[in-house]
Amino acid sequence: MINNKPVAAQFNFWKWLHKNRIKVVTYSFLIIIPLTLLLTAYIGTYTTHTKVHFDQEVTENTEYISKFTDMDEIDAFELSIDWKELKYPVLNEDDELSGGYYMFSMFYTAKQNYSVISMTVTPVLKTNWTDIRSMGNPVTLTPSARNVQIPFNYELPVKPLWFVTVEEPILYLKIDYTFVTATNEIAKTVYIQFILSEINPDKVVA
């Protein structure tokens, strides 16, 4: 005996689909299109805010960086970063947030067969998902630890979108360095990011 149930089921489904095609199309528009627009908004917002620049003011020549070098992949040196202090901003007399900062201790150690003769870091604190950004002054690094302080006068956490909470900014560094290998003097620039949400500062300043 031949079982015709799958054929009947298939026939009934197409019959039902044909009968209810207007409802199906309507529900598709009501569900799929909003979900598509929502997904596009989330992806667009995230992609836009994962790029960072290192200029005080945006110009037509401003370069936005979206790819970063892993610290273990830097050729000439190892970079050490410790998050030393966090000070939250407070409202001043003009009802503006001020006085906040992040402070890091940084130094480098030259790798074997490399002689680093100069290094400057330009720090930026920036969040994903939002336009929150604060830039510090360029600082010369040496093999001895030096404090790098970046002002940050914003309140976190923030919720820029449903289901998205921004707890901490990311520390981005533009590192310009010159080293000597054999008889050649070589200048390079690398960009790195240091995730702060995974660690805590040594000290929170009241």
Side-chain angles (χ1 to χ4, degrees), residues 115-191:
S115 177
V116 178
I117 59 177
S118 67
M119 184 183 302
T120 301
V121 297
T122 303
V124 168
L125 289 169
K126 187 185 180 308
T127 63
N128 287 334
W129 299 100
T130 78
D131 291 324
I132 293 176
R133 174 186 181 274
S134 188
M135 183 175 179
N137 293 322
V139 175
T140 299
L141 291 190
T142 71
S144 299
R146 179 169 183 180
N147 288 336
V148 177
Q149 184 169 308
I150 307 114
F152 196 80
N153 295 310
Y154 301 93
E155 286 187 333
L156 294 176
V158 295
K159 294 181 69 67
L161 294 168
W162 288 346
F163 314 116
V164 175
T165 301
V166 178
E167 300 281 352
E168 293 286 354
I170 297 172
L171 173 64
Y172 294 97
L173 297 176
K174 176 186 178 183
I175 306 176
D176 298 296
Y177 64 102
T178 303
F179 65 94
V180 176
T181 175
T183 58
N184 297 321
E185 186 174 299
I186 302 173
K188 284 189 174 183
T189 300
V190 294
Y191 301 91

Side-chain angles (χ1 to χ4, degrees), residues 47-64:
T47 302
T48 298
H49 294 103
T50 52
K51 299 182 291 185
V52 63
H53 69 85
F54 294 85
D55 295 340
Q56 288 288 356
E57 296 183 1
V58 175
T59 69
E60 60 182 11
N61 297 319
T62 293
E63 182 181 7
Y64 286 86

Side-chain angles (χ1 to χ4, degrees), residues 7-8 18 37 52 69 77 131 145-146 178 191 203 206:
V7 176
H18 178 73
L37 292 175
V52 63
T69 301
F77 62 90
D131 291 324
R146 179 169 183 180
T178 303
Y191 301 91
K203 180 181 180 181

Side-chain angles (χ1 to χ4, degrees), residues 42-97:
Y42 274 67
I43 293 175
T45 301
Y46 180 79
T47 302
T48 298
H49 294 103
T50 52
K51 299 182 291 185
V52 63
H53 69 85
F54 294 85
D55 295 340
Q56 288 288 356
E57 296 183 1
V58 175
T59 69
E60 60 182 11
N61 297 319
T62 293
E63 182 181 7
Y64 286 86
I65 307 301
S66 58
K67 294 183 179 180
F68 303 93
T69 301
D70 189 90
M71 288 200 293
D72 295 334
E73 297 176 351
I74 299 175
D75 51 10
F77 62 90
E78 294 179 354
L79 182 66
S80 296
I81 304 175
D82 289 320
W83 187 4
K84 305 300 291 185
E85 291 183 10
L86 167 62
K87 186 177 188 306
Y88 294 110
V90 295
L91 287 174
N92 59 25
E93 295 178 353
D94 298 323
D95 287 333
E96 296 177 345
L97 290 171

